[in-house]
Amino acid sequence: VAKVRQLAKMGVLADAMADESFCRTLVEAIGQQHETKADAGKFLFRRGASFAALVGDSLNEATLPLHRLTNSSNSISLLGDKLFLKAYRRMQPGVGLELEMGRFLTDVVHFAHCVPVAGSLQYVDSEGSLWTLALLQAQVANQGDAWQYAVDQLKRLLEAMPDAGVESNDGVAPMVERMQVLASRIAELHVALARRTGDASFDPEPVEESDLQRWSETIRGEALATLKLLDGARAGWPPEVAELASGILAARDRLLARIDGLANATPVGQLTRLHGDLHLGQVLIARDDFVLIDFEGEPTRSIEERRAKHSALRDVAGMLRSFDYARHTALQQSAKSPPEFERLAPIARDWERQIRAGFLRTYRDVAVAGGLYADAGQFETACAMLDLFELEKALYELRYEIDNRPDWIEVPLAGIATLLGVTS
C-alpha cells in the first residue's frame, strides 16, 4: 500500500488479507481458540461447533491458493476451495450481526441453506466492549446469484415474445417453480429463526397491538421524511419521473392513512429475528437450490434496529420488491425503443404477477406447516401488515436511490405509486 518510516526503520504498509501465510495463521488461531493481549485489550480467536467439519484437512495442505474478492465493502479472501475469510472494514461495538445470526443458524438450529460459520476473530477493549473483526465461513460453490438469474430469464422471455398478445404462461412457469423453491427456503429460514431454544435474543414473542402502533409510527415518520426529500429533489428530473413524483406527493393523505391503519390491524404471527435485507442479490444458486447470504440487515439502520425482533414478513416484502426491480431492469435492457418498451411492458408485468403469486402461495403453505401461522386464514390476515412492509421497503429504496443512484429513482417511485393506486 505504501512505504513507511519509523525513525531509522523502513518498512511497508501492506494488506494482510492478501497474504496467504497471514490468512492461514488466522484460521489456525481460530481453530486453537487463541487469546492474544493487545495494548488496550485482547484478541479472541473463537471456533464454532462446526469448525472441524468445515475446515477439514485444509490447513494440512502445503499451500492454500488465495483469491481476493474486490466487489465488496469488506476485505474478503478465499483460501483454497473450502474457506471464506472476511475482515470487516467498518466496525461497531457488539457481536457482529452476521456472526450472531450465522452461529445460531449453523450451530443451534442447523439451517442448511445459509453459509455455515466456522469461527471468528473478536476484540475486547479496555472497557469490556466487544468488536467483531473477522468471520470465517465455508465457501459455497455456486452458479451466481438469483438476481442475475431472474433478470436473464425475463430478458430471454421478452426476446422470445413477438407481440404482447402472445400467451406467456408457458415461458413463465419454470421461473415460477424456481421462485417457489426459494419461497420454501425463506419460509424454512423463518421457521428456524422462530424455534424456541432458550436464547432470549432469538426466542419468538407474539405480535401485540403495541407493536403495530410502534411500527405505524415509525413508518409514518419515514414516509414524511421521504416525501420531504422527494419534494426537494424532483426539480430537474425527466418530465415523466417528475410527474410520477408529483402524483405521489399529491397522494400524501392517502399514504398516511394507509400507514395509520396499521395501528388498528389485527395482530397475528410472531416477532422473531430475520434476515433484514433480503433480496435476490442475497441469494446464491447452488446445486440447483438456493443459499441465503449476508445476514447483516439494512446497512443504513442502527445495530439496535437490525437486531430487534420483528415480523418475518418484512423479509417477504423485501423479496417482492426485488421481483419488481428485476422486472424493471430486464425491461430496460430488452426494450430498444419507446414503442418496444410499451409492447413488452405488459408481458413483464404479467411475469412479475405470476412470480409474486406463486412465491406467496408457497411461502404461506410452508410457513403455516411450520407453525408461524395457525392456518391460511391467519396468514391472509397478516397480509395487511405485508402490504405496509412492502410500502415501507419502497420508501427506504426511494431514499437510497435519491442519495446514491439517481438513475434508479423511477423503480421505487413506480412501486410506491402502484401500492397507493396512483398508477395502474
Coordinates of all heavy atoms in Angstrom, one line a residue, residues 272-353:
T272 N -39.7 -12.3 15.5 CA -38.6 -13.1 15.5 C -37.4 -12.3 14.9 O -37.6 -11.2 14.4 CB -38.7 -14.4 14.6 OG1 -38.9 -13.9 13.2 CG2 -40.0 -15.2 15.0
R273 N -36.2 -12.9 15.0 CA -35.1 -12.3 14.3 C -35.4 -12.7 12.8 O -36.1 -13.6 12.5 CB -33.8 -13.0 14.7 CG -33.4 -12.6 16.2 CD -33.1 -11.2 16.4 NE -31.8 -10.9 15.8 CZ -30.6 -11.0 16.4 NH1 -30.6 -11.4 17.7 NH2 -29.5 -10.7 15.8
L274 N -34.8 -11.9 11.9 CA -35.0 -12.1 10.5 C -33.7 -11.7 9.7 O -32.8 -11.1 10.3 CB -36.2 -11.3 10.0 CG -36.2 -9.8 10.1 CD1 -37.2 -9.2 9.1 CD2 -36.7 -9.4 11.5
H275 N -33.7 -11.9 8.4 CA -32.6 -11.6 7.6 C -32.4 -10.1 7.6 O -31.3 -9.6 7.9 CB -32.8 -12.1 6.2 CG -31.6 -11.8 5.3 ND1 -31.3 -10.6 4.8 CD2 -30.7 -12.6 4.8 CE1 -30.2 -10.6 4.0 NE2 -29.8 -11.9 4.0
G276 N -33.4 -9.3 7.3 CA -33.4 -7.9 7.5 C -33.0 -7.1 6.2 O -33.3 -5.9 6.2
D277 N -32.4 -7.7 5.2 CA -32.1 -7.0 4.0 C -32.2 -8.0 2.8 O -31.3 -8.1 2.0 CB -30.7 -6.4 4.0 CG -30.4 -5.5 2.8 OD1 -31.4 -5.0 2.3 OD2 -29.2 -5.3 2.5
L278 N -33.3 -8.7 2.8 CA -33.5 -9.9 1.9 C -33.9 -9.4 0.5 O -34.9 -8.7 0.3 CB -34.5 -10.9 2.4 CG -34.5 -12.2 1.7 CD1 -33.2 -12.9 1.8 CD2 -35.6 -13.1 2.4
H279 N -33.1 -9.8 -0.5 CA -33.5 -9.5 -1.9 C -32.8 -10.6 -2.8 O -32.0 -11.4 -2.2 CB -33.1 -8.1 -2.3 CG -31.7 -7.7 -2.1 ND1 -30.6 -8.1 -2.9 CD2 -31.2 -7.0 -1.1 CE1 -29.5 -7.6 -2.4 NE2 -29.8 -6.9 -1.3
L280 N -33.0 -10.6 -4.1 CA -32.5 -11.6 -4.9 C -31.0 -11.6 -5.0 O -30.4 -12.7 -5.2 CB -33.0 -11.4 -6.4 CG -34.5 -11.8 -6.5 CD1 -35.0 -11.2 -7.9 CD2 -34.8 -13.3 -6.4
G281 N -30.3 -10.5 -4.7 CA -28.9 -10.4 -4.7 C -28.3 -11.1 -3.5 O -27.1 -11.3 -3.4
Q282 N -29.1 -11.4 -2.5 CA -28.6 -12.0 -1.3 C -28.9 -13.5 -1.3 O -28.8 -14.2 -0.3 CB -29.4 -11.5 0.0 CG -29.3 -10.0 0.1 CD -27.9 -9.5 0.6 OE1 -26.9 -10.0 0.2 NE2 -28.0 -8.5 1.5
V283 N -29.1 -14.1 -2.5 CA -29.4 -15.5 -2.7 C -28.4 -16.1 -3.7 O -28.4 -15.6 -4.8 CB -30.9 -15.7 -3.1 CG1 -31.1 -17.2 -3.3 CG2 -31.8 -15.1 -2.1
L284 N -27.7 -17.1 -3.3 CA -26.8 -17.8 -4.3 C -27.6 -19.0 -4.8 O -28.3 -19.7 -4.1 CB -25.5 -18.2 -3.6 CG -24.6 -17.1 -3.1 CD1 -23.4 -17.8 -2.4 CD2 -24.2 -16.1 -4.2
I285 N -27.3 -19.3 -6.1 CA -27.8 -20.6 -6.7 C -26.7 -21.6 -6.6 O -25.6 -21.4 -7.0 CB -28.2 -20.4 -8.2 CG1 -29.3 -19.3 -8.3 CG2 -28.6 -21.7 -8.8 CD1 -29.5 -18.9 -9.7
A286 N -27.0 -22.7 -5.9 CA -26.0 -23.7 -5.6 C -26.7 -25.1 -5.7 O -27.7 -25.4 -5.0 CB -25.5 -23.5 -4.2
R287 N -26.1 -25.9 -6.6 CA -26.6 -27.3 -6.8 C -28.1 -27.3 -7.0 O -28.8 -28.1 -6.4 CB -26.2 -28.2 -5.6 CG -24.7 -28.3 -5.3 CD -24.5 -29.4 -4.2 NE -23.1 -29.5 -4.0 CZ -22.4 -28.8 -3.1 NH1 -23.0 -27.9 -2.3 NH2 -21.1 -29.0 -2.9
D288 N -28.5 -26.5 -7.9 CA -29.9 -26.4 -8.3 C -30.9 -26.0 -7.1 O -32.0 -26.4 -7.1 CB -30.4 -27.7 -8.9 CG -31.6 -27.5 -9.9 OD1 -31.7 -26.5 -10.5 OD2 -32.4 -28.4 -9.9
D289 N -30.3 -25.4 -6.1 CA -31.0 -24.9 -5.0 C -30.6 -23.5 -4.6 O -29.9 -22.9 -5.4 CB -30.8 -25.9 -3.8 CG -32.1 -26.0 -2.9 OD1 -32.7 -25.0 -2.7 OD2 -32.4 -27.1 -2.4
F290 N -30.9 -23.1 -3.4 CA -30.6 -21.7 -3.0 C -29.9 -21.7 -1.7 O -30.2 -22.4 -0.8 CB -31.9 -20.9 -3.0 CG -32.6 -20.7 -4.3 CD1 -33.7 -21.5 -4.6 CD2 -32.1 -19.9 -5.3 CE1 -34.4 -21.4 -5.8 CE2 -32.8 -19.8 -6.5 CZ -33.9 -20.5 -6.8
V291 N -29.0 -20.7 -1.5 CA -28.3 -20.4 -0.3 C -28.4 -19.0 0.0 O -28.2 -18.1 -0.8 CB -26.8 -20.8 -0.3 CG1 -26.1 -20.4 0.9 CG2 -26.7 -22.3 -0.6
L292 N -28.9 -18.6 1.3 CA -29.1 -17.2 1.7 C -27.8 -16.7 2.3 O -27.2 -17.4 3.1 CB -30.2 -17.1 2.6 CG -31.5 -17.8 2.2 CD1 -32.6 -17.7 3.2 CD2 -32.0 -17.2 0.9
I293 N -27.4 -15.5 2.0 CA -26.2 -14.9 2.5 C -26.4 -13.5 3.1 O -27.5 -13.0 3.0 CB -25.1 -14.8 1.3 CG1 -25.6 -13.8 0.2 CG2 -24.9 -16.2 0.7 CD1 -24.6 -13.5 -0.9
D294 N -25.3 -13.0 3.7 CA -25.3 -11.6 4.2 C -26.4 -11.3 5.2 O -27.3 -10.5 4.9 CB -25.3 -10.6 3.0 CG -23.9 -10.7 2.3 OD1 -23.0 -11.2 2.8 OD2 -23.9 -10.1 1.2
F295 N -26.3 -11.8 6.4 CA -27.3 -11.5 7.4 C -26.9 -10.3 8.3 O -27.0 -10.3 9.5 CB -27.4 -12.8 8.3 CG -28.1 -13.9 7.7 CD1 -27.5 -14.7 6.8 CD2 -29.5 -14.2 7.9 CE1 -28.1 -15.8 6.2 CE2 -30.1 -15.2 7.3 CZ -29.5 -16.0 6.4
E296 N -26.6 -9.2 7.6 CA -26.2 -8.0 8.4 C -27.3 -7.0 8.5 O -27.1 -6.0 9.1 CB -24.9 -7.4 7.7 CG -23.7 -8.3 7.8 CD -22.5 -7.5 7.3 OE1 -21.9 -6.7 8.0 OE2 -22.1 -7.9 6.1
G297 N -28.4 -7.2 7.8 CA -29.5 -6.2 7.8 C -29.3 -5.0 6.9 O -28.2 -4.9 6.3
E298 N -30.2 -4.1 6.9 CA -30.1 -2.9 6.1 C -29.0 -2.0 6.6 O -29.0 -1.6 7.8 CB -31.4 -2.1 6.1 CG -32.5 -2.8 5.3 CD -33.9 -2.1 5.3 OE1 -34.0 -1.2 6.2 OE2 -34.8 -2.4 4.5
P299 N -28.0 -1.7 5.8 CA -26.8 -1.0 6.2 C -27.0 0.4 6.8 O -26.2 0.9 7.6 CB -25.9 -1.0 5.0 CG -26.9 -1.1 3.8 CD -28.0 -2.0 4.3
T300 N -28.1 1.0 6.4 CA -28.3 2.4 6.9 C -29.0 2.4 8.3 O -29.2 3.5 8.9 CB -29.2 3.2 5.9 OG1 -30.5 2.6 5.8 CG2 -28.5 3.3 4.6
R301 N -29.5 1.3 8.8 CA -30.2 1.2 10.1 C -29.2 0.9 11.2 O -28.1 0.3 10.9 CB -31.3 0.2 10.1 CG -32.4 0.5 9.0 CD -33.6 -0.4 9.2 NE -34.6 -0.2 8.2 CZ -35.5 0.8 8.2 NH1 -35.6 1.6 9.3 NH2 -36.4 0.9 7.2
S302 N -29.5 1.3 12.4 CA -28.6 1.1 13.5 C -28.5 -0.4 13.9 O -29.4 -1.2 13.5 CB -29.1 1.9 14.7 OG -30.3 1.3 15.2
I303 N -27.5 -0.8 14.6 CA -27.3 -2.2 15.1 C -28.6 -2.6 15.9 O -29.1 -3.7 15.8 CB -26.0 -2.3 15.9 CG1 -24.8 -2.3 15.0 CG2 -26.1 -3.7 16.6 CD1 -24.7 -3.5 14.1
E304 N -29.0 -1.7 16.7 CA -30.2 -2.0 17.6 C -31.4 -2.3 16.8 O -32.2 -3.2 17.0 CB -30.5 -0.8 18.5 CG -29.4 -0.6 19.6 CD -28.1 0.0 19.1 OE1 -28.2 0.6 18.0 OE2 -27.1 -0.1 19.8
E305 N -31.6 -1.5 15.7 CA -32.8 -1.7 14.8 C -32.6 -3.1 14.1 O -33.6 -3.8 13.9 CB -32.9 -0.6 13.8 CG -33.4 0.7 14.3 CD -33.5 1.8 13.2 OE1 -32.4 2.2 12.7 OE2 -34.6 2.2 12.9
R306 N -31.4 -3.4 13.7 CA -31.2 -4.6 12.9 C -31.3 -5.8 13.8 O -31.6 -6.9 13.3 CB -29.9 -4.5 12.2 CG -29.8 -3.6 11.0 CD -28.5 -3.6 10.3 NE -27.6 -2.6 10.8 CZ -26.3 -2.6 10.4 NH1 -25.8 -3.5 9.6 NH2 -25.5 -1.6 10.9
R307 N -31.0 -5.7 15.1 CA -31.0 -6.9 16.0 C -32.4 -7.1 16.5 O -32.7 -8.1 17.1 CB -30.1 -6.7 17.1 CG -28.6 -6.8 16.8 CD -27.7 -6.9 18.0 NE -27.8 -8.3 18.6 CZ -28.2 -8.5 19.8 NH1 -28.7 -7.5 20.6 NH2 -28.2 -9.7 20.3
A308 N -33.3 -6.1 16.4 CA -34.6 -6.1 17.0 C -35.5 -7.2 16.4 O -35.4 -7.4 15.2 CB -35.3 -4.8 17.0
K309 N -36.3 -7.9 17.2 CA -37.2 -8.8 16.6 C -38.3 -8.1 15.9 O -38.7 -7.0 16.3 CB -37.8 -9.7 17.7 CG -36.8 -10.6 18.4 CD -37.3 -11.3 19.6 CE -36.3 -12.0 20.4 NZ -36.8 -12.6 21.6
H310 N -38.8 -8.7 14.8 CA -39.9 -8.0 14.0 C -40.6 -9.1 13.3 O -40.4 -10.3 13.5 CB -39.2 -7.1 13.0 CG -40.0 -5.9 12.6 ND1 -41.2 -6.0 11.9 CD2 -39.8 -4.6 12.8 CE1 -41.7 -4.8 11.8 NE2 -40.9 -3.9 12.3
S311 N -41.6 -8.7 12.5 CA -42.3 -9.7 11.7 C -41.5 -10.2 10.6 O -40.9 -9.4 9.9 CB -43.6 -9.1 11.2 OG -44.2 -9.9 10.2
A312 N -41.4 -11.5 10.4 CA -40.6 -12.0 9.3 C -41.2 -11.6 7.9 O -40.5 -11.7 6.9 CB -40.6 -13.6 9.4
L313 N -42.4 -11.1 7.9 CA -43.0 -10.6 6.6 C -42.2 -9.4 6.0 O -42.3 -9.1 4.9 CB -44.4 -10.2 6.8 CG -45.4 -11.4 7.1 CD1 -46.8 -10.9 7.4 CD2 -45.4 -12.4 6.0
R314 N -41.4 -8.8 6.8 CA -40.5 -7.7 6.3 C -39.5 -8.3 5.3 O -39.2 -7.7 4.3 CB -39.8 -7.0 7.4 CG -40.6 -6.1 8.2 CD -39.8 -5.4 9.2 NE -39.3 -4.1 8.7 CZ -38.3 -3.4 9.3 NH1 -37.7 -3.9 10.4 NH2 -37.9 -2.3 8.8
D315 N -39.0 -9.6 5.5 CA -38.2 -10.2 4.6 C -39.0 -10.5 3.3 O -38.5 -10.4 2.2 CB -37.6 -11.5 5.1 CG -36.4 -11.3 6.0 OD1 -35.9 -10.2 6.1 OD2 -36.0 -12.3 6.7
V316 N -40.2 -11.0 3.5 CA -41.1 -11.3 2.3 C -41.3 -10.0 1.5 O -41.2 -10.1 0.2 CB -42.4 -11.9 2.8 CG1 -43.3 -12.2 1.6 CG2 -42.2 -13.2 3.6
A317 N -41.5 -8.9 2.1 CA -41.7 -7.7 1.4 C -40.5 -7.3 0.6 O -40.6 -6.8 -0.5 CB -42.1 -6.6 2.4
G318 N -39.3 -7.5 1.2 CA -38.1 -7.2 0.5 C -37.9 -8.0 -0.8 O -37.5 -7.5 -1.8
M319 N -38.3 -9.3 -0.7 CA -38.2 -10.2 -1.9 C -39.2 -9.7 -2.9 O -38.9 -9.7 -4.1 CB -38.4 -11.6 -1.5 CG -38.1 -12.6 -2.6 SD -36.4 -12.5 -3.2 CE -35.4 -12.8 -1.7
L320 N -40.4 -9.4 -2.5 CA -41.4 -8.9 -3.5 C -40.9 -7.6 -4.2 O -41.1 -7.5 -5.4 CB -42.8 -8.6 -2.8 CG -43.5 -9.8 -2.2 CD1 -44.7 -9.4 -1.5 CD2 -43.7 -10.9 -3.2
R321 N -40.3 -6.7 -3.5 CA -39.8 -5.5 -4.1 C -38.6 -5.9 -5.1 O -38.4 -5.2 -6.1 CB -39.2 -4.6 -3.0 CG -40.3 -3.9 -2.2 CD -41.2 -3.0 -3.0 NE -40.4 -2.1 -3.8 CZ -40.7 -1.7 -5.0 NH1 -41.7 -2.2 -5.7 NH2 -39.9 -0.9 -5.7
S322 N -37.9 -6.9 -4.7 CA -36.8 -7.3 -5.6 C -37.3 -7.9 -6.9 O -36.7 -7.6 -8.0 CB -35.9 -8.4 -4.9 OG -34.7 -8.6 -5.5
F323 N -38.4 -8.6 -6.9 CA -39.0 -9.0 -8.2 C -39.4 -7.8 -9.0 O -39.2 -7.8 -10.2 CB -40.3 -9.8 -7.9 CG -40.1 -11.1 -7.2 CD1 -41.1 -11.6 -6.3 CD2 -38.9 -11.8 -7.3 CE1 -40.9 -12.8 -5.7 CE2 -38.7 -13.0 -6.7 CZ -39.7 -13.5 -5.8
D324 N -39.9 -6.7 -8.4 CA -40.2 -5.5 -9.1 C -39.0 -4.9 -9.8 O -39.0 -4.5 -10.9 CB -40.9 -4.5 -8.2 CG -41.5 -3.3 -8.9 OD1 -42.0 -3.5 -10.0 OD2 -41.3 -2.2 -8.4
Y325 N -37.9 -4.9 -9.0 CA -36.6 -4.3 -9.5 C -36.1 -5.2 -10.7 O -35.6 -4.6 -11.7 CB -35.5 -4.3 -8.4 CG -35.4 -3.0 -7.8 CD1 -36.3 -2.5 -6.9 CD2 -34.3 -2.1 -8.0 CE1 -36.2 -1.3 -6.2 CE2 -34.1 -0.9 -7.4 CZ -35.1 -0.5 -6.5 OH -35.0 0.7 -5.8
A326 N -36.2 -6.5 -10.6 CA -35.8 -7.4 -11.7 C -36.6 -7.1 -12.9 O -36.1 -7.1 -14.1 CB -35.9 -8.8 -11.2
R327 N -37.9 -6.9 -12.8 CA -38.8 -6.6 -13.9 C -38.4 -5.4 -14.6 O -38.2 -5.3 -15.9 CB -40.3 -6.5 -13.4 CG -41.2 -5.9 -14.5 CD -42.6 -5.9 -14.1 NE -42.9 -5.0 -13.0 CZ -43.4 -3.7 -13.2 NH1 -43.5 -3.3 -14.5 NH2 -43.7 -3.0 -12.2
H328 N -38.2 -4.3 -13.9 CA -37.8 -3.0 -14.5 C -36.4 -3.1 -15.2 O -36.2 -2.6 -16.3 CB -37.7 -1.9 -13.4 CG -39.0 -1.4 -13.1 ND1 -39.6 -0.3 -13.7 CD2 -39.9 -1.7 -12.1 CE1 -40.8 0.0 -13.2 NE2 -41.0 -0.9 -12.2
T329 N -35.5 -3.9 -14.5 CA -34.1 -4.0 -15.1 C -34.2 -4.7 -16.4 O -33.6 -4.3 -17.4 CB -33.2 -4.7 -14.1 OG1 -33.1 -3.9 -12.9 CG2 -31.8 -4.8 -14.7
A330 N -34.8 -5.9 -16.4 CA -34.9 -6.7 -17.7 C -35.6 -5.9 -18.8 O -35.2 -6.0 -19.9 CB -35.6 -8.0 -17.4
L331 N -36.7 -5.2 -18.4 CA -37.4 -4.4 -19.4 C -36.5 -3.3 -20.0 O -36.5 -3.1 -21.2 CB -38.7 -3.9 -18.8 CG -39.7 -3.2 -19.7 CD1 -40.2 -4.1 -20.8 CD2 -40.9 -2.7 -18.8
Q332 N -35.8 -2.6 -19.2 CA -34.9 -1.5 -19.7 C -33.9 -2.1 -20.6 O -33.5 -1.5 -21.6 CB -34.3 -0.8 -18.5 CG -35.3 0.0 -17.7 CD -35.7 1.3 -18.4 OE1 -35.2 1.6 -19.4 NE2 -36.7 2.0 -17.8
Q333 N -33.3 -3.3 -20.2 CA -32.2 -3.8 -21.0 C -32.7 -4.5 -22.3 O -32.0 -4.6 -23.3 CB -31.5 -4.9 -20.2 CG -30.7 -4.3 -19.0 CD -30.0 -5.3 -18.2 OE1 -30.0 -6.5 -18.5 NE2 -29.4 -4.9 -17.1
S334 N -34.0 -4.9 -22.4 CA -34.5 -5.5 -23.5 C -35.1 -4.6 -24.6 O -35.1 -4.8 -25.8 CB -35.6 -6.6 -23.1 OG -35.0 -7.6 -22.3
A335 N -35.8 -3.5 -24.1 CA -36.5 -2.6 -25.0 C -35.5 -1.6 -25.6 O -34.8 -0.9 -24.9 CB -37.6 -1.9 -24.2
K336 N -35.5 -1.6 -26.9 CA -34.5 -0.8 -27.7 C -35.1 0.5 -28.1 O -34.4 1.4 -28.6 CB -34.0 -1.5 -28.9 CG -33.4 -2.9 -28.6 CD -32.3 -2.9 -27.6 CE -31.8 -4.3 -27.3 NZ -30.8 -4.3 -26.2
S337 N -36.4 0.7 -27.9 CA -37.1 1.9 -28.3 C -38.4 2.1 -27.5 O -38.9 1.2 -26.9 CB -37.5 1.9 -29.8 OG -38.4 0.9 -30.0
P338 N -38.9 3.3 -27.4 CA -40.1 3.6 -26.6 C -41.3 2.7 -27.1 O -42.0 2.1 -26.2 CB -40.4 5.0 -26.8 CG -39.1 5.6 -27.1 CD -38.3 4.6 -27.8
P339 N -41.5 2.5 -28.4 CA -42.6 1.6 -28.8 C -42.4 0.2 -28.3 O -43.3 -0.5 -27.9 CB -42.6 1.7 -30.3 CG -42.0 3.0 -30.6 CD -40.9 3.2 -29.6
E340 N -41.1 -0.3 -28.4 CA -40.9 -1.7 -28.0 C -41.1 -1.8 -26.4 O -41.5 -2.8 -25.9 CB -39.4 -2.1 -28.3 CG -39.2 -3.5 -28.1 CD -37.8 -4.0 -28.6 OE1 -36.9 -3.1 -28.8 OE2 -37.6 -5.2 -28.8
F341 N -40.7 -0.7 -25.7 CA -40.9 -0.7 -24.3 C -42.4 -0.9 -24.0 O -42.8 -1.7 -23.1 CB -40.4 0.6 -23.7 CG -40.5 0.6 -22.2 CD1 -39.4 0.3 -21.4 CD2 -41.7 1.1 -21.5 CE1 -39.5 0.3 -20.0 CE2 -41.7 1.1 -20.1 CZ -40.6 0.7 -19.4
E342 N -43.3 -0.1 -24.7 CA -44.7 -0.2 -24.5 C -45.2 -1.6 -24.8 O -46.2 -2.1 -24.2 CB -45.4 0.9 -25.3 CG -45.1 2.3 -24.9 CD -45.6 2.6 -23.5 OE1 -46.7 2.1 -23.1 OE2 -44.9 3.2 -22.7
R343 N -44.7 -2.2 -25.8 CA -45.1 -3.5 -26.2 C -44.7 -4.6 -25.2 O -45.5 -5.5 -24.9 CB -44.5 -3.9 -27.6 CG -44.9 -5.3 -28.1 CD -44.3 -5.5 -29.5 NE -42.8 -5.6 -29.5 CZ -42.1 -6.7 -29.1 NH1 -42.8 -7.8 -28.7 NH2 -40.8 -6.7 -29.2
L344 N -43.5 -4.5 -24.6 CA -43.0 -5.5 -23.7 C -43.5 -5.3 -22.3 O -43.5 -6.3 -21.5 CB -41.5 -5.6 -23.8 CG -40.9 -6.0 -25.1 CD1 -39.4 -5.9 -25.1 CD2 -41.3 -7.4 -25.5
A345 N -43.8 -4.1 -21.9 CA -44.2 -3.8 -20.5 C -45.3 -4.7 -20.0 O -45.2 -5.2 -18.9 CB -44.5 -2.3 -20.4
P346 N -46.4 -5.0 -20.7 CA -47.4 -5.9 -20.2 C -46.9 -7.3 -19.9 O -47.4 -7.9 -19.0 CB -48.5 -5.8 -21.3 CG -48.3 -4.6 -22.0 CD -46.8 -4.4 -22.0
I347 N -46.1 -7.8 -20.8 CA -45.5 -9.1 -20.6 C -44.7 -9.2 -19.3 O -44.8 -10.1 -18.5 CB -44.6 -9.5 -21.8 CG1 -45.5 -9.5 -23.1 CG2 -44.0 -10.9 -21.6 CD1 -44.7 -9.7 -24.4
A348 N -43.9 -8.1 -19.1 CA -43.0 -8.1 -17.9 C -43.9 -8.0 -16.7 O -43.6 -8.6 -15.6 CB -42.1 -6.9 -18.0
R349 N -45.0 -7.2 -16.7 CA -45.9 -7.1 -15.6 C -46.5 -8.4 -15.3 O -46.7 -8.8 -14.1 CB -46.9 -6.0 -15.8 CG -46.5 -4.6 -15.6 CD -47.6 -3.6 -15.5 NE -48.4 -3.5 -16.7 CZ -48.2 -2.7 -17.7 NH1 -47.2 -1.8 -17.6 NH2 -48.9 -2.6 -18.7
D350 N -46.9 -9.1 -16.3 CA -47.6 -10.4 -16.1 C -46.5 -11.4 -15.5 O -46.9 -12.2 -14.7 CB -48.1 -11.0 -17.4 CG -48.8 -12.3 -17.3 OD1 -49.8 -12.3 -16.6 OD2 -48.3 -13.3 -17.8
W351 N -45.3 -11.3 -15.9 CA -44.2 -12.2 -15.4 C -44.1 -11.9 -13.9 O -44.1 -12.9 -13.1 CB -42.9 -11.8 -16.0 CG -41.7 -12.5 -15.5 CD1 -41.1 -13.7 -15.9 CD2 -40.8 -12.0 -14.5 NE1 -40.0 -14.0 -15.2 CE2 -39.8 -12.9 -14.3 CE3 -40.8 -10.8 -13.7 CZ2 -38.7 -12.8 -13.4 CZ3 -39.7 -10.7 -12.8 CH2 -38.7 -11.6 -12.6
E352 N -44.1 -10.6 -13.5 CA -44.0 -10.3 -12.0 C -45.2 -10.8 -11.3 O -45.1 -11.3 -10.2 CB -43.8 -8.8 -11.8 CG -43.6 -8.5 -10.4 CD -43.5 -7.0 -10.1 OE1 -43.7 -6.2 -11.1 OE2 -43.4 -6.6 -8.9
R353 N -46.4 -10.6 -11.9 CA -47.6 -11.0 -11.2 C -47.6 -12.5 -10.9 O -47.9 -12.9 -9.8 CB -48.8 -10.6 -12.1 CG -50.2 -11.0 -11.5 CD -51.3 -10.8 -12.5 NE -51.1 -11.7 -13.6 CZ -51.4 -13.0 -13.6 NH1 -51.9 -13.6 -12.5 NH2 -51.3 -13.7 -14.7

